[in-house]
Amino acid sequence: MKKGLGILGREQRQARGLKKTVKAMWDRVPLYRSRMEDMGMSPEMVSSVEDLQRLPFMTKDDLRDSYPMGLLACERDEVVRVHASSGTTGKPTVVAYTKGDITAWEECMKNCLATAGVTRGDVFQVILGYGLFTGALGFHYGAEGLGAMVVPTGGGFTERQLMLMEDLGTTVFTSTPSYALHLCEEIKDKGTRERLRLRLAILGGESWTEEMRERIEGELGVIAVDSYGLSEVIGPGVAMECPERSGLHPDWDHFLFEVVDPVTGRPLPEGEEGELVITSLTKEAMPVIRYRTRDLTRFIPGICGCGREGLRLERIKGRCDDMLIIRGVNVFPSQVEAVLGKIEGLSLHYRLEVFQPNGLKELKVLCEAEGWMDELQREEKESEAVRRLHENLGIRVGFRLLAPGALERSAGKAVRVTKVA
Ligand code: DLL
């Protein structure tokens, strides 16, 4: 971990933040205190960042079990806002913020947006849901804080999005990658690309691939950077790519990051893929210590092309929970996306259907064609897809080509996997 700590003095600041966080959790959160006691730990035993690995983990179940606000480490009347997770897997979890947390979050977002290359003169369109979801408000305050002009269109209403994008001269937008792909096709249909001033797309909230990035950048003529965060930790603002697009720069001033074996929880050697674990250093209302994100990634060592030092994070491959096991082989939706993205004539609007015809799990990939195809072209495309999926995934899966527009578009995170009885 030491290697990722960058500039002088940061390690001391991190140690101070860690000690303060551990003390607050010990004093205020009985669940965490008893977990520390079970491991024979006390706050006095934590004096440096190296001690992090001796502390117990926290999981999403801890938040669920203490619903709505059992993990508060501050007074109830210090809470000025709540958000809730999108609940993609199970019951949503409520997260709370003090005034100090809101300020720190804005700071994180400003750092992230500056990393992505956003500046004062930008017109910044927020195409994410406002409300309980942390996405929109996080970007909103960060962009405003940087002095950009914010256009808070929220999610959906594509016609209106595009009208304002054109009329107000939007230069930067943020959305999920799947919605950005939808914007691409609408802009293409309307033939309005030349009238837009877009230069940067900041995309996150769900996993996506290099193939998806190439499509979006090509169609819109923008740079598309990856943005990572989660509500349990703060929201967006945890890590962001710079225009080099060679991995996410984590915010080491507000958080500590580890990559552990998702089964044993043991820290992995640098560069190995595993589960990302995050500790907050400045949060007041609901700090997290060694929070198991379930997100799979690895550290990228070395100095980035932008000159920033410190470990970067590889784009998130997916959540441990998203992994499908098909006839003994592990399959992530992002692996399927990467294959589809290399096949000419396929759009990246796709869905995976999992079914169990004879007790054994089978997978069928449904993917839209980019344009109209005749019967023969369709058959050829389908057999090409079956062959390439087989080569890349190591198992035979079904494939069905759909007409353009056949799958429902989502204004936020796309649903990639459906289970068919
Ligand atoms: O999705 C926060 C966010 C909004 C981040 C907008 C970036 C942009 P949640 O709804 O709590 O918060 O979902 C968090 O989404 O644990 C990941 O599984 C997934 N996720 C978020 N960003 C990425 C990304 C927001 N860039 C969960 N790549 C996380 C892959 C991502 N997965």
Side-chain angles (χ1 to χ4, degrees):
M1 176 165 307
K2 239 181 176 164
K3 277 195 191 142
L5 301 180
I7 55 171
L8 198 72
R10 181 179 275 180
E11 195 163 349
Q12 284 94 324
R13 287 203 306 278
Q14 289 174 325
R16 206 173 48 207
L18 179 63
K19 281 193 280 187
K20 201 170 156 197
T21 304
V22 171
K23 180 78 171 66
M25 293 294 274
W26 174 272
D27 289 343
R28 306 272 196 150
V29 184
L31 178 137
Y32 200 74
R33 182 188 185 126
S34 66
R35 210 167 275 172
M36 278 179 69
E37 281 169 344
D38 288 348
M39 288 175 77
M41 289 294 290
S42 65
E44 299 71 45
M45 296 163 83
V46 178
S47 60
S48 79
V49 169
E50 256 76 75
D51 296 318
L52 181 66
Q53 290 175 1
R54 299 161 65 203
L55 289 163
F57 289 117
M58 290 173 72
T59 65
K60 186 148 185 146
D61 281 342
D62 295 337
L63 276 101
R64 278 204 197 106
D65 296 346
S66 348
Y67 180 88
M69 287 202 284
L71 294 181
L72 265 196
C74 68
E75 294 301 328
R76 166 62 193 81
D77 64 4
E78 288 178 271
V79 174
V80 297
R81 196 190 307 165
V82 294
H83 280 283
S85 83
S86 45
T88 38
T89 51
K91 193 173 172 183
T93 44
V94 174
V95 286
Y97 301 72
T98 62
K99 253 210 150 63
D101 289 334
I102 297 287
T103 308
W105 189 17
E106 184 181 328
E107 208 53 49
C108 294
M109 282 309 311
K110 284 198 307 197
N111 292 342
C112 274
L113 293 176
T115 299
V118 178
T119 59
R120 266 185 81 80
D122 275 310
V123 179
F124 193 103
Q125 194 160 334
V126 181
I127 314 184
L128 291 167
Y130 277 82
L132 286 173
F133 180 47
T134 51
L137 284 169
F139 279 99
H140 184 116
Y141 283 107
E144 229 173 58
L146 270 188
M149 178 177 121
V150 173
V151 185
T153 40
F157 302 104
T158 311
E159 286 275 324
R160 195 182 56 184
Q161 299 282 0
L162 296 179
M163 184 183 73
L164 289 170
M165 201 174 256
E166 192 177 323
D167 295 347
L168 295 170
T170 298
T171 52
V172 184
F173 76 91
T174 180
S175 73
T176 56
S178 51
Y179 191 72
L181 193 69
H182 176 50
L183 287 177
C184 289
E185 43 181 23
E186 292 293 311
I187 291 170
K188 199 171 180 182
D189 276 0
K190 287 188 181 333
T192 54
R193 179 176 148 185
E194 298 313 316
R195 304 213 290 267
L196 299 176
R197 296 185 51 213
L198 292 177
R199 65 172 187 87
L200 177 65
I202 301 179
L203 309 178
E206 62 186 6
S207 61
W208 55 310
T209 56
E210 282 308 305
E211 287 70 18
M212 178 84 107
R213 175 169 10 228
E214 270 172 35
R215 294 265 173 121
I216 293 168
E217 291 192 340
E219 297 272 339
L220 295 180
V222 296
I223 281 182
V225 296
D226 191 14
S227 145
Y228 171 76
L230 59 167
S231 44
E232 298 89 320
V233 168
I234 201 159
V238 174
M240 178 76 88
E241 270 185 330
C242 67
E244 291 287 322
R245 289 155 289 166
S246 56
L248 293 150
H249 293 286
D251 185 336
W252 291 97
D253 286 325
H254 291 90
F255 309 103
L256 294 175
F257 300 84
E258 301 168 83
V259 175
V260 305
D261 182 313
V263 178
T264 63
R266 262 192 232 112
L268 291 171
E270 195 176 296
E272 266 187 42
E273 182 184 282
E275 180 182 350
L276 182 64
V277 172
I278 305 179
T279 299
S280 66
L281 297 172
T282 53
K283 276 181 78 182
E284 296 171 342
M286 278 194 186
V288 284
I289 299 179
R290 305 197 83 199
Y291 181 73
R292 308 263 313 234
T293 64
R294 310 299 288 150
D295 292 326
L296 294 170
T297 183
R298 66 180 190 92
F299 281 126
I300 307 172
I303 300 175
C304 178
C306 70
R308 282 183 185 80
E309 293 182 11
L311 297 172
R312 281 160 285 151
L313 291 172
E314 193 171 73
R315 64 161 68 250
I316 306 291
K317 179 178 179 183
R319 294 179 62 76
C320 308
D321 328 286
D322 290 344
M323 189 179 80
L324 303 168
I325 304 177
I326 308 292
R327 279 175 272 126
V329 176
N330 301 347
V331 179
F332 283 92
S334 59
Q335 286 173 287
V336 173
E337 182 178 301
V339 179
L340 300 177
K342 291 195 184 80
I343 303 176
E344 218 183 302
L346 296 191
S347 84
L348 280 177
H349 293 291
Y350 67 96
R351 186 158 299 173
L352 311 187
E353 269 184 10
V354 180
F355 54 106
Q356 269 177 297
N358 315 307
L360 274 183
K361 261 197 201 143
E362 297 286 345
L363 177 65
K364 186 185 232 171
V365 179
L366 313 179
C367 181
E368 289 181 16
E370 261 189 326
W372 186 85
M373 289 187 195
D374 65 28
E375 193 65 31
L376 186 64
Q377 287 169 318
R378 272 214 305 275
E379 275 172 20
E380 278 173 7
K381 215 28 86 186
E382 286 186 335
S383 40
E384 181 185 350
V386 168
R387 179 173 54 76
R388 305 225 355 211
L389 286 164
H390 187 190
E391 280 165 11
N392 282 277
L393 305 178
I395 39 156
R396 265 191 109 66
V397 300
F399 181 86
R400 186 145 67 90
L401 192 66
L402 303 176
L407 291 172
E408 202 185 321
R409 305 291 186 256
S410 149
K413 304 188 186 213
V415 177
R416 293 300 187 202
V417 182
T418 49
K419 300 222 158 59
V420 181

